[in-house]
Amino acid sequence: MWTLAVLPLFAVSALAQYSTPTPAPSPNTTTGPDADGKYEISAEGIRAQFIPYGASISNLFINDTNGIERDIVLGFDNASHYSVDPFHPHLGGVPGRYANRIKNSTFTIDGVDYHVDANEHGGLDTLHGGSDGWDFRNFTVVAHTSDSITFSIVDPDGKEGFPGEVVSYITYTVTPFTWHLKMVALATTKKTPIMLSSHVYWNLDAFANPDTPTTHNHTLHLPYSGQRIGVDNILIPDGTILPNEKYSVNDFWSGPKQLGANLTSPEIKNNCGFGCVGYDNAWLVNRAQNGPYDWRTEGPVATLASNFTGIQIDVFSDQDAFQVYTCPGQNGSLPIKSNQGYEGRPRVVEKYGCVVMEVEDYIDAINHPEWQREKKQIFGPGDEPYVLEAKYVFSVN
């Protein structure tokens, strides 16, 4: 195991019981980043690379139905590009300390109003923790073995306007054909909102599909998601919980459906914000109606599959919401990696060229107490840590 830094002893002790144990080093344990600044971990059928910037996944390699290794996530070839990219689309990182949007960049805890950095829509709201949220910062690599890597961050009191210090560990592990993630965060000094996620952009064809540079051919199934969170024209929750009626454009629960299946339907206009055609929505994950469940075995909250490569992802998560973004905002300004693409086609991410799947809790629930998510999103000294777990199981059809 390679260790770069030691967190405060009290934080380590408090988080230890929730953190994934680091496996003993195997003979092929690496001792640092490669020439591109990336840390690799691998297991049977899967190989992944990560960078400290945002604790981000930069590459994920899976063999397709023809045995061709495909890199199925967006990112840059070199780690140094992430911090200088002017667009910063949150490529593969951990948004924090509060993912997604905060209405009016304000919230109230115990009668005290807090105002955080307003970094979106001209100051109307906060997105992914502010202008210097977690995925804009370099995490510390505290452990790295052949099949696991752990990052840490200490977020100071007052950073981006959030109250209290937060100490967090992000652990990524691979086992045969599976990527596991575990995020643990501890509020050490004051009550504060915490909601994290993994902001990975997927293209299961690695942009090599000769028929389309988009993910329109990707099939999505959200079997527990008959409802979604209602939003206004700038995607701020308006307090409503909406039904995803059977056969409607937002129905992915009654059966698998291609992401491009309903793009010509009049119903989908404004579905992802004013004038937007596509998806940028938070679906609820309703599993509890059948009684207690184990998220690891209950069944995936989402399945994404490509009919070109045959690659399929089954997403298992302990979270109660699932955001899907089909990249209607991409416009060809973001490059793809050197190991991706189809010869003769522009080497960029075009509109609808990717899909983001975010495991998380109800978005902006800190401004909707009627949803009763306080125990899931507000944490203080002496509370149990915030924990997010998920696993992505890969197969080939």
Side-chain angles (χ1 to χ4, degrees):
M1 181 177 71
W2 183 43
T3 302
L4 283 182
V6 178
L7 290 176
L9 181 59
F10 72 93
V12 173
S13 299
L15 291 173
Q17 62 178 310
Y18 299 94
S19 300
T20 302
T22 302
S26 57
N28 63 338
T29 295
T30 56
T31 58
D34 63 15
D36 291 321
K38 300 179 179 182
Y39 297 78
E40 182 166 306
I41 61 176
S42 61
E44 180 186 359
I46 185 169
R47 185 164 65 93
Q49 295 176 332
F50 302 86
I51 61 171
Y53 188 79
S56 303
I57 184 169
S58 60
N59 305 75
L60 200 156
F61 300 94
I62 301 292
N63 286 355
D64 71 8
T65 189
N66 295 312
I68 301 172
E69 188 179 60
R70 304 288 190 182
D71 185 356
I72 58 175
V73 301
L74 275 64
F76 295 118
D77 285 325
N78 192 284
S80 63
H81 295 169
Y82 286 77
S83 61
V84 298
D85 172 50
F87 301 105
H88 191 86
H90 311 279
L91 286 177
V94 177
R97 76 175 69 171
Y98 195 86
N100 216 287
R101 293 173 173 86
I102 299 175
K103 183 178 182 179
N104 297 327
S105 302
T106 62
F107 55 87
T108 302
I109 298 178
D110 293 340
V112 178
D113 295 333
Y114 293 95
H115 303 272
V116 293
D117 178 53
N119 65 324
E120 193 185 37
H121 297 121
L124 294 180
D125 66 281
T126 298
L127 176 65
H128 293 326
S131 303
D132 194 27
W134 287 14
D135 63 355
F136 285 83
R137 302 184 223 167
N138 282 309
F139 284 59
T140 298
V141 179
V142 295
H144 179 212
T145 72
S146 62
D147 59 6
S148 182
I149 187 166
T150 297
F151 297 94
S152 71
I153 190 171
V154 178
D155 195 21
D157 180 12
K159 190 74 174 79
E160 304 302 286
F162 288 96
E165 179 190 72
V166 172
V167 178
S168 181
Y169 281 121
I170 311 297
T171 297
Y172 302 121
T173 304
V174 290
T175 57
F177 304 98
T178 305
W179 174 37
H180 307 258
L181 62 85
K182 187 168 188 176
M183 303 180 182
V184 183
L186 181 71
T188 61
T189 58
K190 300 175 183 176
K191 282 188 176 181
T192 189
I194 303 175
M195 185 175 77
L196 306 179
S197 188
S198 176
H199 203 275
V200 182
Y201 288 76
W202 303 90
N203 184 306
L204 300 186
D205 296 338
F207 300 94
N209 188 336
D211 296 327
T212 178
T214 73
T215 57
H216 289 342
N217 68 310
H218 288 31
T219 297
L220 178 66
H221 189 204
L222 305 174
Y224 302 107
S225 296
Q227 297 172 304
R228 70 189 188 279
I229 294 175
V231 294
D232 64 15
N233 284 337
I234 58 172
L235 300 178
I236 306 299
D238 59 13
T240 61
I241 302 297
L242 302 176
N244 299 320
E245 296 179 0
K246 197 170 185 179
Y247 308 126
S248 68
V249 299
N250 290 298
D251 170 24
F252 289 94
W253 61 268
S254 67
K257 182 172 66 177
Q258 287 193 337
L259 293 175
N262 296 135
L263 289 184
T264 59
S265 170
E267 181 188 350
I268 204 169
K269 187 177 180 180
N270 303 319
N271 194 58
C272 47
F274 181 75
C276 180
V277 175
Y279 298 96
D280 194 359
N281 310 88
W283 278 265
L284 302 187
V285 179
N286 297 313
R287 290 170 290 190
Q289 69 269 28
N290 296 324
Y293 62 90
D294 182 344
W295 68 267
R296 300 168 185 83
T297 58
E298 178 70 14
V301 298
T303 297
L304 185 72
S306 163
N307 61 8
F308 172 68
T309 59
I311 295 173
Q312 176 173 309
I313 313 174
D314 290 310
V315 183
F316 297 77
S317 168
D318 65 348
Q319 300 295 291
D320 292 330
F322 193 87
Q323 182 95 11
V324 177
Y325 171 61
T326 55
C327 299
Q330 289 299 323
N331 58 11
S333 59
L334 181 66
I336 60 176
K337 286 173 285 189
S338 59
N339 60 7
Q340 298 174 322
Y342 180 73
E343 186 175 356
R345 197 159 60 203
R347 301 191 55 75
V348 296
V349 183
E350 299 184 21
K351 187 175 184 177
Y352 304 119
C354 45
V355 56
V356 179
M357 302 186 292
E358 303 171 52
V359 292
E360 60 196 1
D361 199 57
Y362 290 33
I363 59 175
D364 196 35
I366 53 176
N367 282 311
H368 292 281
E370 69 275 14
W371 292 346
Q372 300 178 305
R373 308 304 293 178
E374 181 175 351
K375 290 184 179 180
K376 298 278 189 177
Q377 298 195 11
I378 304 295
F379 299 85
D383 291 340
E384 295 291 309
Y386 167 93
V387 178
L388 178 154
E389 289 191 80
K391 66 177 181 178
Y392 299 74
V393 180
F394 298 89
S395 58
V396 176
N397 295 314

